[in-house]
Amino acid sequence: MKKLGIKWKNIIFIIIGSAIFSFGLVHFNIQNELGEGGFTGITLLLLYLFDWDPGIMNIVLNIPILLIGWKLLGKQTFYYTLIGIIAVSVFIWIAQSYMIVIDLSSDLTLAALFAGVFIGVGLGIIFRYGGTTGGVDIIARLVNKHLGWSMGRAMFIFDTLVIFTSIVTYLNPIRGMYTLVAVFLSARVIDFIQEGAYAARGVTIISSESNAIASKILVDMDRGVTTLEGRGTFTGEKRDVLYCIVGRTEIVRLKQIIESVDPHSFVAVSHVHDVIGEGFTLDENKNPIDP
């Protein structure tokens, strides 16, 4: 396992993500006859048209794609993807065998919201820990390599074709629109989990009292500050520019510190979705902090 770079923690979280994904697929998509994008959408299409088991079809459809594209994934991602595909199929079978009846046929808005959240959370966890569920991800990489299309473009086109085919064949227009809501929401949830729920803030500070502000941030907040050399375009005056990243809950305290030193300073605050380094992913001894 160590030679392949595979971690048990990643495997466990990929399995957890697969369980959440499969639960949502069976209890909200299938129970309410909603579609889905990608290979998952194809398995639902085959279920509704031919009554073919989605768990089995998930493996049947993905194995040829894995054999074609395994070199593109690398050994580590390949094994994580294989684990994800098998785990999803097993949990789909379990969810179907021990299904909990959640009747939301009279409220498809709620069904679409829950479908999007469960699928988004499940896939987000799988992606965050190095896995994929195969299918479109591998196809998108092949298209990117041979046709030069971006992966986002290839995945969007494939998902659109699957959803359009589902609407034409078995989904009525109303359920098709709710499917689009679920797919959009799941994509947003995936991004949220991938980027991290921490959502730090990046702060740029321009002040004549930059040294005093930096010192106070270091002492009072125990946060690092980077000093950059800047020059005003209009005045030509050289001035230090401070850049600091703090947690979302620390931004008010940072503003108070800046105002106490120089109430006339220029401050720009921006969203930072992912931070790697000491104080965020590494401790003071440079050891990784578990997410």
Side-chain angles (χ1 to χ4, degrees), residues 125 153 160 222:
I125 293 173
R153 179 186 177 189
T160 300
D222 194 27

Side-chain angles (χ1 to χ4, degrees), residues 183-200:
V183 170
F184 174 79
L185 180 58
S186 67
R188 298 300 298 170
V189 174
I190 289 171
D191 289 342
F192 178 76
I193 293 177
Q194 282 283 84
E195 293 170 351
Y198 192 80

Side-chain angles (χ1 to χ4, degrees), residues 159-194:
D159 285 348
T160 300
L161 288 174
V162 171
I163 294 173
F164 178 76
T165 303
S166 300
I167 293 173
V168 171
T169 54
Y170 74 89
L171 287 178
N172 59 47
I174 298 298
R175 277 185 161 77
M177 287 188 285
Y178 280 115
T179 294
L180 291 174
V181 171
V183 170
F184 174 79
L185 180 58
S186 67
R188 298 300 298 170
V189 174
I190 289 171
D191 289 342
F192 178 76
I193 293 177
Q194 282 283 84

Side-chain angles (χ1 to χ4, degrees), residues 110-121:
L110 202 57
L113 292 176
F114 272 96
V117 169
F118 270 84
I119 288 178
V121 170

Side-chain angles (χ1 to χ4, degrees), residues 38-184:
F39 266 37
T40 304
I42 296 178
T43 63
L44 295 183
L45 184 63
L46 296 173
L47 169 67
Y48 296 135
L49 293 179
F50 306 109
D51 199 29
W52 291 355
D53 187 277
I56 295 175
M57 295 313 302
N58 181 58
I59 294 178
V60 171
L61 292 173
N62 272 298
I63 292 302
I65 301 299
L66 273 177
L67 294 176
I68 294 171
W70 70 272
K71 287 185 178 180
L72 289 174
L73 296 174
K75 288 184 178 180
Q76 185 185 78
T77 304
F78 174 80
Y79 287 117
Y80 283 151
T81 298
L82 187 61
I83 291 169
I85 291 170
I86 294 174
V88 164
S89 293
V90 169
F91 283 115
I92 286 176
W93 175 79
I94 293 173
Q96 287 180 312
S97 300
Y98 303 96
M99 186 180 296
I100 303 169
V101 178
I102 305 175
D103 187 8
L104 294 175
S105 57
S106 61
D107 192 349
L108 289 179
T109 301
L110 202 57
L113 292 176
F114 272 96
V117 169
F118 270 84
I119 288 178
V121 170
L123 289 178
I125 293 173
I126 292 172
F127 295 158
R128 180 157 186 164
Y129 286 90
T132 74
T133 54
V136 178
D137 180 68
I138 299 174
I139 292 176
R141 294 185 191 209
L142 289 171
V143 171
N144 173 259
K145 179 180 179 180
H146 296 291
L147 298 181
W149 293 7
S150 69
M151 287 188 62
R153 179 186 177 189
M155 293 177 73
F156 175 77
I157 291 174
F158 191 89
D159 285 348
T160 300
L161 288 174
V162 171
I163 294 173
F164 178 76
T165 303
S166 300
I167 293 173
V168 171
T169 54
Y170 74 89
L171 287 178
N172 59 47
I174 298 298
R175 277 185 161 77
M177 287 188 285
Y178 280 115
T179 294
L180 291 174
V181 171
V183 170
F184 174 79

